[in-house]
Amino acid sequence: MFKLKPKAFTFDTGGTILDWHTGFKKGWEKIKTGYGLNIDSTKLANLQRRKSLDIITTQKGSSLVNFDYAHQIAVQEICKENQIEIKNEDKAYLHSKVPTQLKVWDDFLKPFNALKLNNLCVSFTLLSNKLVFTNSKANSINWDLIISCETIGIYKPNLDAYLRTAELLQLKPSECCMVACHSFDLNAAQEAGFNTIFVKRPLEWGNNTKIKVDGEYNFVIDSFEEIITHIK
């Protein structure tokens, strides 16, 4: 429960809102078919996500890279490690085109639009500006504001990213609520003073997704439809 109703809801976007797995898998399937390769598209889709996410969330200092570059490095490493020989233009398709064509989860838009009627709803995302703008527009997600880690120059789960976001919203951290399907994100947000909502995404990593709620949050929900109930 909330002690006081938050004034802003900040949403993780890749994974929580956008289905990256299906998009990445389709991309690798296209390469598999085009080249007649014997590869596991599900495995490579998840590997691309895991590698790129690790690059983004473990970086420190001033030499920061965005998610577009992280995807590029991930695809290059996957091809090298698995001896997959494809043209550079097809690698670019996997790391630059595919991530801009992700679909929103089916349970999101209706409750999101209802929530937005009386609440500030913000995309607070690790995704690059290019990825969050392109995918949000394509899926008719009309944010009140987009705050990307690329823009503020601090990447989650660095606590300063959450504190800076609250500052930009001219709110106290306790007046904000982080909504995500990843405990690493929510635990850092909680440490920074945010309220937290864990959204279960049973298919985020495909059919073999293992959901791990690694923390105690204000709410743990099975779908976005439950958000409206709890906010009331």
Side-chain angles (χ1 to χ4, degrees):
M1 298 178 62
F2 297 127
K3 290 183 179 179
L4 293 174
K5 180 184 174 183
K7 294 182 179 179
F9 292 84
T10 60
F11 294 81
D12 166 64
T13 307
T16 304
I17 311 301
L18 299 169
D19 175 11
W20 59 262
H21 175 81
T22 299
F24 286 10
K25 182 179 178 181
K26 286 181 178 178
W28 283 102
E29 282 288 344
K30 182 176 180 179
I31 296 300
K32 177 180 180 178
T33 301
Y35 283 85
L37 299 173
N38 181 24
I39 58 175
D40 185 337
S41 300
T42 295
K43 177 182 176 181
L44 296 184
N46 288 346
L47 192 56
Q48 180 177 342
R49 169 66 170 179
R50 188 170 289 110
K51 281 178 173 290
S52 58
L53 187 61
D54 284 348
I55 291 170
I56 289 296
T57 57
T58 60
Q59 60 183 339
K60 297 178 182 178
S62 58
S63 300
L64 300 175
V65 300
N66 67 13
F67 233 125
D68 302 309
Y69 185 73
H71 282 144
Q72 180 179 346
I73 296 301
V75 169
Q76 290 173 345
E77 289 183 355
I78 289 169
C79 289
K80 182 177 181 179
E81 292 166 0
N82 293 274
Q83 298 180 326
I84 299 172
E85 296 184 4
I86 59 176
K87 297 178 181 177
N88 286 335
E89 62 192 66
D90 291 316
K91 291 180 182 178
Y93 164 73
L94 289 169
H95 65 66
S96 294
K97 185 68 174 178
V98 168
T100 67
Q101 298 177 323
L102 307 182
K103 300 299 182 183
V104 68
W105 292 108
D106 291 339
D107 68 339
F108 177 70
L109 281 176
K110 185 176 180 180
F112 169 74
N113 288 327
L115 181 67
K116 210 176 72 146
L117 291 175
N118 298 302
N119 299 277
L120 179 62
C121 293
V122 179
S123 171
F124 175 26
T125 180
L126 289 166
L127 297 179
S128 69
N129 288 315
K130 171 188 171 182
L131 294 180
V132 67
F133 293 159
T134 304
N135 283 301
S136 293
K137 189 176 290 292
N139 287 283
S140 300
I141 308 173
N142 297 310
W143 301 104
D144 290 316
L145 181 67
I146 292 175
I147 299 177
S148 73
C149 292
E150 179 182 25
T151 295
I152 63 176
I154 314 169
Y155 279 82
K156 299 185 292 182
N158 186 324
L159 297 189
D160 288 338
Y162 304 89
L163 297 174
R164 178 58 176 154
T165 292
E167 181 183 13
L168 288 171
L169 296 175
Q170 298 185 32
L171 296 173
K172 299 175 183 177
S174 61
E175 295 176 314
C176 302
C177 180
M178 189 73 213
V179 184
C181 66
H182 309 120
S183 283
F184 80 84
D185 194 354
L186 293 175
N187 292 344
Q190 195 172 61
E191 189 175 348
F194 279 49
N195 294 282
T196 50
I197 297 177
F198 186 104
V199 184
K200 294 181 181 179
R201 283 287 177 235
L203 294 175
E204 187 194 0
W205 296 83
N207 292 328
N208 294 321
T209 297
K210 296 180 180 179
I211 297 174
K212 186 177 181 181
V213 183
D214 188 19
E216 296 184 5
Y217 310 116
N218 294 93
F219 297 102
V220 176
I221 61 177
D222 293 314
S223 74
F224 267 102
E225 292 158 357
E226 294 180 41
I227 281 188
I228 302 301
T229 303
H230 292 310
I231 300 310
K232 289 180 179 179

